Amino acid sequence: MSPVSLLLSDKAKARFDAFSDGVFAIVITLLVLELHIPTGREHLASELGSEWPRYLGYFVSFAFIGGVWIAHSTISHFIKAVDATLMRLNLVLLLFVSLLPFTTGTMAAHLFTSVLPLDHLTEPQPAFGPERLAVVLFGVNLTLAALMTYLVIRHVDKTDELAATDRVEEELRGFKRGRGTAVVLQALATVVGVFVPLAAVVVYLGLSVFFFVDPLWIERVRRRVGSHKT
Amino acid sequence: MSPVSLLLSDKAKARFDAFSDGVFAIVITLLVLELHIPTGREHLASELGSEWPRYLGYFVSFAFIGGVWIAHSTISHFIKAVDATLMRLNLVLLLFVSLLPFTTGTMAAHLFTSVLPLDHLTEPQPAFGPERLAVVLFGVNLTLAALMTYLVIRHVDKTDELAATDRVEEELRGFKRGRGTAVVLQALATVVGVFVPLAAVVVYLGLSVFFFVDPLWIERVRRRVGSHKT
Amino acid sequence: MSPVSLLLSDKAKARFDAFSDGVFAIVITLLVLELHIPTGREHLASELGSEWPRYLGYFVSFAFIGGVWIAHSTISHFIKAVDATLMRLNLVLLLFVSLLPFTTGTMAAHLFTSVLPLDHLTEPQPAFGPERLAVVLFGVNLTLAALMTYLVIRHVDKTDELAATDRVEEELRGFKRGRGTAVVLQALATVVGVFVPLAAVVVYLGLSVFFFVDPLWIERVRRRVGSHKT
Amino acid sequence: MSPVSLLLSDKAKARFDAFSDGVFAIVITLLVLELHIPTGREHLASELGSEWPRYLGYFVSFAFIGGVWIAHSTISHFIKAVDATLMRLNLVLLLFVSLLPFTTGTMAAHLFTSVLPLDHLTEPQPAFGPERLAVVLFGVNLTLAALMTYLVIRHVDKTDELAATDRVEEELRGFKRGRGTAVVLQALATVVGVFVPLAAVVVYLGLSVFFFVDPLWIERVRRRVGSHKT
């Protein structure tokens, strides 16, 4: 038993789960701190109305983190132990997840700029405006978190000692393909953000909600198309 | 075993519990951040005194979240597994629970407006003032969280694979009726908020404390009335 | 099995532990947010120096919460199930624990007032200054949290269904006496705060550290005195 | 069974793990609150660019806490029970870990001072500038946290009742040596901070990343050197 095997353990798995659940729970709850409480007294309705980019960002990140958490507990369901690589990949995933309140807040603060009063438009805008940069930054964060989710699943899939049973292999593979597609779609949406920032955020929301509501819808579409072909 | 069954698992239940406990614990603790620390040096007593709407909001939300957490761990006690629908319903419940620090803070910031010095009243008030809007918003949030609690229980009740034993069915039904009544009472209190904001907040507090102290008091009242009739 | 028995369960105990651990962990970590990061550029050393009441408050609350957490996990070690009363007593304990960042911050912000430059003293001070009020408020919070800790242990002690084994009864009683003494000592220290605020905070720190380092020192003193008498 | 043995228990170990995981998860997530969301509208890119000391601090603390968490769950893997001393040593470790958002933020706020516009340099700098103090403070915090990690492992190593099996002893000793080296290296890096602040932060980052990526690299180097000698 070499020192490297230290972390290959079913006991370490309980802590792997607990720590990950903790970070997911905290990040999803910290998002609420980015919703600023309006303090003006007379125009609460309009104040709340003008804050809609924050609510949009809140729902994107909540749905996205919810979806990643579902993926994470599904992976956890497949495995009986964790190894040193899985722990490190997971910590990098948690790094990108825990950055989301920051990039969500930055996106929300600058999505305002496209819905400002018209008189603001008389000033010349910079070539690559803050709105675009903020939306792309948010998209890159979502893409990297999706990518790490995929890499975590791929590592579990290719490491025999981790799988709980042989039977789950095919299921795991379908799940892995689904998360791989999520990475590609999220990356494409981020590219859209370079040209049409607001549209990109709506696509982010759509993707996050889709993968939240039904993590396997892409897999099902693929199968249906495949069965039509045969 | 279809891919959809991925999440029907007793292992997933441990993470369902851990993640939910995490979010409940964080939200109930984040509420304290809405209690502003007074920084004036000479009039601490009066500063603390004028902050009473925050303390009122704090106690409403603490009691409400405490009550929902008790309901949640009671449900968890009834089930032996979770399915994909339960996980999603639960995440939507957690969404509304994690919004509470925001709506509590908004309510507290605007409940001030009715206790302002008299000279403020000489200005014409808007038709649907910020106080009403903030109190109704808070009430809607509480109602939606109560509704999701009810929907989670209803899903467990009607899904045979989730129940731990057949014996608990009748108990579960009584518990479900109790939480259904909570939704209706909370919705009615929110309607009161349209007309008498401050009274509504007091009713919110009463309801939250009642369901916290004795989640089954309504069920008991119903039974006593029923046994009188027969 | 009446509906009231719903919550008497060893499964509910796992969630009771998890939720409590979550709240303790969050509160003890949120304390750091009350340590303000100095932003002045030239006088960092003096800025840090003038912030000492915050560091004092931080250590009091950290040691106190650490001590209550040790007491809490010791109780948890004695019991095999939780009932509805225990869950509610525990939530009230967590209420007072989660208020600590607020009362610690208030105390720290006003303990400054006694170490202000002399010219400030030319203004007439109010009869019951903000410093006293803030220190007493902090002491009352600590006392109520200590009282709830005691009440939780007392409830476990007098409820036969909760105890894990009969053997632990005597140990539990000694532990209960220790926590009862803690309540009395903390209440006395709070009374000291009415007259000598700064001294009271030092006593709070001493008590918290003592109960943190050795929860049973009072019990041991009592025994030694008792064995001398016989 | 003396009262002191109260805490020597495998049940207490579950709470020891849960509480520690909670604190680690919260601290690692709270770090994101020190990343200020830029609010200026026209120069987002340059605003983000000038914030690099915050990102540097974020990565140092994230990698460091990640590494300590891996060490902590590895220790937890070795033991079957906790005693009173372990619980207290662990709480002191958590104290230094939970101070990290404060010292990271202080360091980040003052690392700016060395990259300020040149006109600032015309003013005479204090002998021991704020930048040095902030970097050394951060280094001392990292060193103390590393030291407590080492002391926790040492206590487990020398307390026979805690070890899960005899077989792990040699592994545990290698792991302990690795963490001991971490303390010495981190202390040396802190001394570097007195003379070359920015370089020290880069060394902090390097050490944290190394112990995160491979906690046993030092042990392996030692062995290779040892086997060459024989």
Side-chain angles (χ1 to χ4, degrees):
Chain A
M1 197 169 163
S2 80
V4 183
S5 72
L6 279 182
L7 296 168
L8 180 60
S9 152
D10 53 335
K11 275 181 208 158
K13 182 173 177 292
R15 300 224 31 192
F16 172 86
D17 284 358
F19 183 72
S20 305
D21 278 336
V23 172
F24 282 119
I26 296 153
V27 174
I28 217 167
T29 319
L30 279 186
L31 289 172
V32 83
L33 297 183
E34 295 303 327
L35 301 181
H36 297 175
I37 291 172
T39 49
R41 274 170 184 160
E42 301 306 324
H43 304 290
L44 178 59
S46 64
E47 264 191 88
L48 288 173
S50 69
E51 289 273 304
W52 64 265
R54 291 194 186 283
Y55 308 139
L56 184 62
Y58 181 82
F59 287 115
V60 173
S61 291
F62 196 100
F64 183 85
I65 297 172
V68 170
W69 177 75
I70 290 177
H72 200 275
S73 54
T74 307
I75 305 162
S76 167
H77 168 61
F78 282 131
I79 62 179
K80 62 172 192 293
V82 295
D83 64 2
T85 307
L86 185 58
M87 280 177 112
R88 278 156 191 81
L89 286 175
N90 190 53
L91 275 166
V92 178
L93 164 61
L94 295 178
L95 172 71
F96 290 121
V97 168
S98 73
L99 275 171
L100 280 172
F102 172 65
T103 52
T104 306
T106 302
M107 185 278 287
H110 293 87
L111 202 61
F112 276 100
T113 52
S114 77
V115 292
L116 282 177
L118 283 170
D119 60 83
H120 194 258
L121 289 176
T122 57
E123 294 177 31
Q125 295 284 319
F128 196 77
E131 191 183 22
R132 274 157 210 232
L133 181 56
V135 167
V136 169
L137 199 71
F138 185 38
V140 168
N141 193 348
L142 292 170
T143 307
L144 289 172
L147 178 66
M148 291 311 304
T149 309
Y150 172 74
L151 292 178
V152 163
I153 300 178
R154 205 187 61 161
H155 177 71
V156 168
D157 182 40
K158 71 179 190 192
T159 315
D160 288 340
E161 292 90 346
L162 303 182
T165 63
D166 295 338
R167 264 199 15 226
V168 299
E169 246 176 57
E170 201 193 343
E171 284 188 68
L172 187 57
R173 210 146 294 156
F175 191 63
K176 191 183 75 177
R177 273 198 302 268
R179 295 308 308 188
T181 313
V183 179
V184 174
L185 292 177
Q186 183 60 51
L188 288 175
T190 305
V191 172
V192 170
V194 178
F195 303 101
V196 204
L198 186 54
V201 179
V202 174
V203 177
Y204 298 170
L205 180 62
L207 282 174
S208 298
V209 169
F210 259 111
F211 276 96
F212 173 84
V213 172
D214 184 1
L216 297 160
W217 62 279
I218 284 168
E219 187 59 18
R220 263 204 287 280
V221 169
R222 195 193 300 261
R223 281 187 190 190
R224 209 168 305 151
V225 172
S227 65
H228 273 284
K229 279 182 185 160
T230 51
Chain B
M1 197 170 163
S2 80
V4 184
S5 71
L6 280 182
L7 298 168
L8 180 61
S9 152
D10 54 333
K11 275 180 208 158
K13 181 172 178 294
R15 301 223 29 192
F16 172 85
D17 284 358
F19 183 72
S20 306
D21 277 336
V23 172
F24 282 119
I26 296 154
V27 174
I28 217 167
T29 319
L30 279 186
L31 289 171
V32 83
L33 297 183
E34 296 303 327
L35 301 181
H36 297 176
I37 291 171
T39 50
R41 274 170 185 160
E42 300 306 324
H43 303 289
L44 178 59
S46 64
E47 264 191 89
L48 288 173
S50 70
E51 289 273 305
W52 64 266
R54 292 193 187 281
Y55 309 139
L56 183 62
Y58 182 82
F59 288 114
V60 173
S61 291
F62 197 100
F64 182 86
I65 297 173
V68 170
W69 177 75
I70 290 177
H72 201 275
S73 53
T74 308
I75 305 163
S76 167
H77 168 59
F78 282 132
I79 62 179
K80 63 172 191 294
V82 295
D83 64 3
T85 306
L86 184 58
M87 280 177 111
R88 279 158 191 82
L89 286 174
N90 189 54
L91 274 166
V92 178
L93 164 61
L94 296 178
L95 172 71
F96 290 121
V97 168
S98 72
L99 276 171
L100 280 171
F102 172 65
T103 52
T104 306
T106 302
M107 186 278 288
H110 292 87
L111 202 63
F112 276 99
T113 53
S114 77
V115 294
L116 282 177
L118 283 169
D119 60 84
H120 193 258
L121 289 176
T122 56
E123 293 177 31
Q125 295 284 320
F128 196 76
E131 190 183 24
R132 275 158 210 231
L133 182 55
V135 168
V136 169
L137 199 71
F138 185 38
V140 167
N141 193 348
L142 292 170
T143 307
L144 288 172
L147 178 65
M148 289 313 303
T149 309
Y150 172 74
L151 291 179
V152 163
I153 302 178
R154 205 187 61 161
H155 177 72
V156 168
D157 181 40
K158 71 178 190 195
T159 315
D160 289 340
E161 292 89 346
L162 304 182
T165 63
D166 295 337
R167 265 196 18 225
V168 301
E169 246 175 58
E170 202 192 343
E171 283 187 70
L172 187 58
R173 211 145 293 156
F175 191 63
K176 190 183 77 175
R177 273 197 302 268
R179 295 307 309 189
T181 312
V183 179
V184 174
L185 291 178
Q186 182 59 51
L188 288 175
T190 305
V191 173
V192 170
V194 178
F195 304 101
V196 204
L198 187 53
V201 179
V202 175
V203 178
Y204 298 170
L205 180 62
L207 282 174
S208 298
V209 169
F210 259 111
F211 276 96
F212 173 83
V213 172
D214 184 0
L216 296 161
W217 62 280
I218 284 168
E219 188 59 18
R220 263 204 287 280
V221 170
R222 194 193 301 260
R223 280 187 191 192
R224 209 168 306 151
V225 173
S227 65
H228 272 284
K229 280 181 184 162
T230 51
Chain C
M1 196 170 165
S2 80
V4 183
S5 71
L6 280 182
L7 297 168
L8 180 59
S9 153
D10 54 333
K11 275 181 208 157
K13 180 171 179 294
R15 300 222 31 191
F16 172 86
D17 284 358
F19 183 72
S20 306
D21 278 335
V23 172
F24 282 118
I26 297 154
V27 174
I28 218 167
T29 319
L30 280 186
L31 290 171
V32 83
L33 297 183
E34 296 303 326
L35 301 181
H36 297 175
I37 291 169
T39 50
R41 274 170 183 159
E42 301 306 324
H43 304 290
L44 179 58
S46 65
E47 265 191 88
L48 288 173
S50 70
E51 289 272 305
W52 64 265
R54 292 193 187 282
Y55 309 140
L56 183 62
Y58 181 83
F59 288 115
V60 174
S61 291
F62 198 99
F64 182 86
I65 297 173
V68 171
W69 177 74
I70 290 176
H72 201 275
S73 54
T74 308
I75 306 163
S76 166
H77 168 60
F78 282 131
I79 62 179
K80 63 173 192 292
V82 294
D83 64 2
T85 306
L86 184 58
M87 280 177 111
R88 277 157 193 80
L89 286 175
N90 189 55
L91 275 166
V92 179
L93 164 61
L94 295 178
L95 172 71
F96 290 122
V97 168
S98 72
L99 275 171
L100 280 171
F102 172 65
T103 52
T104 307
T106 302
M107 185 278 287
H110 293 88
L111 202 62
F112 276 100
T113 53
S114 77
V115 292
L116 281 177
L118 282 170
D119 59 83
H120 194 259
L121 289 176
T122 57
E123 295 177 30
Q125 295 284 320
F128 196 77
E131 190 183 25
R132 276 157 209 233
L133 182 55
V135 168
V136 169
L137 200 71
F138 185 38
V140 168
N141 192 349
L142 293 170
T143 308
L144 289 172
L147 178 65
M148 290 312 305
T149 309
Y150 172 74
L151 291 180
V152 162
I153 301 177
R154 205 188 61 162
H155 176 72
V156 168
D157 182 40
K158 72 179 188 192
T159 314
D160 288 341
E161 293 89 346
L162 303 182
T165 63
D166 294 337
R167 268 199 12 228
V168 301
E169 246 175 57
E170 200 192 343
E171 283 188 69
L172 187 57
R173 210 145 295 157
F175 192 62
K176 190 182 76 175
R177 273 199 301 268
R179 296 306 311 188
T181 313
V183 179
V184 174
L185 292 177
Q186 182 60 51
L188 289 175
T190 305
V191 173
V192 169
V194 177
F195 304 101
V196 204
L198 187 53
V201 179
V202 174
V203 178
Y204 299 170
L205 180 62
L207 282 174
S208 299
V209 169
F210 260 110
F211 277 97
F212 173 84
V213 171
D214 183 2
L216 296 161
W217 62 279
I218 284 168
E219 187 59 19
R220 263 205 288 280
V221 170
R222 194 193 301 261
R223 280 188 191 189
R224 208 169 306 153
V225 173
S227 65
H228 273 285
K229 280 182 183 161
T230 51
Chain D
M1 197 170 165
S2 79
V4 183
S5 72
L6 279 183
L7 297 168
L8 180 60
S9 151
D10 53 334
K11 275 180 209 159
K13 181 172 179 291
R15 300 224 30 192
F16 172 86
D17 285 358
F19 183 72
S20 304
D21 278 336
V23 172
F24 282 119
I26 296 154
V27 174
I28 217 168
T29 319
L30 280 186
L31 289 171
V32 83
L33 298 182
E34 296 303 326
L35 301 182
H36 296 175
I37 291 170
T39 50
R41 273 168 184 160
E42 300 308 323
H43 304 290
L44 179 58
S46 65
E47 265 192 87
L48 288 173
S50 69
E51 289 273 304
W52 65 265
R54 291 193 186 283
Y55 308 139
L56 183 62
Y58 181 83
F59 288 115
V60 173
S61 291
F62 197 100
F64 182 86
I65 298 173
V68 172
W69 177 75
I70 289 177
H72 200 276
S73 53
T74 307
I75 306 162
S76 167
H77 168 60
F78 282 131
I79 63 179
K80 63 172 193 293
V82 295
D83 65 1
T85 306
L86 184 57
M87 280 177 111
R88 278 157 192 79
L89 286 175
N90 190 53
L91 274 166
V92 179
L93 164 61
L94 295 178
L95 172 71
F96 291 121
V97 168
S98 72
L99 276 171
L100 280 172
F102 172 65
T103 52
T104 306
T106 302
M107 185 278 287
H110 293 87
L111 202 62
F112 276 100
T113 53
S114 76
V115 292
L116 281 177
L118 283 169
D119 59 83
H120 194 258
L121 288 177
T122 56
E123 295 177 30
Q125 296 283 321
F128 196 77
E131 191 183 24
R132 275 157 209 231
L133 182 56
V135 167
V136 168
L137 198 71
F138 186 39
V140 168
N141 193 348
L142 292 170
T143 307
L144 288 172
L147 177 66
M148 290 312 304
T149 309
Y150 172 74
L151 291 179
V152 163
I153 301 177
R154 205 188 61 162
H155 177 72
V156 168
D157 182 40
K158 71 178 190 193
T159 314
D160 288 340
E161 293 89 346
L162 303 183
T165 64
D166 295 338
R167 267 198 14 226
V168 300
E169 246 175 57
E170 201 193 342
E171 284 188 69
L172 187 57
R173 210 146 294 157
F175 191 62
K176 190 183 75 176
R177 274 198 300 268
R179 295 307 310 188
T181 313
V183 179
V184 174
L185 292 178
Q186 182 60 51
L188 289 176
T190 305
V191 173
V192 170
V194 178
F195 304 99
V196 204
L198 186 54
V201 179
V202 174
V203 177
Y204 298 170
L205 180 63
L207 281 173
S208 298
V209 168
F210 259 110
F211 276 96
F212 173 84
V213 171
D214 183 1
L216 297 161
W217 62 279
I218 284 168
E219 188 58 19
R220 262 204 289 279
V221 170
R222 194 193 303 260
R223 282 186 189 190
R224 210 169 304 152
V225 173
S227 65
H228 273 284
K229 279 182 186 161
T230 52

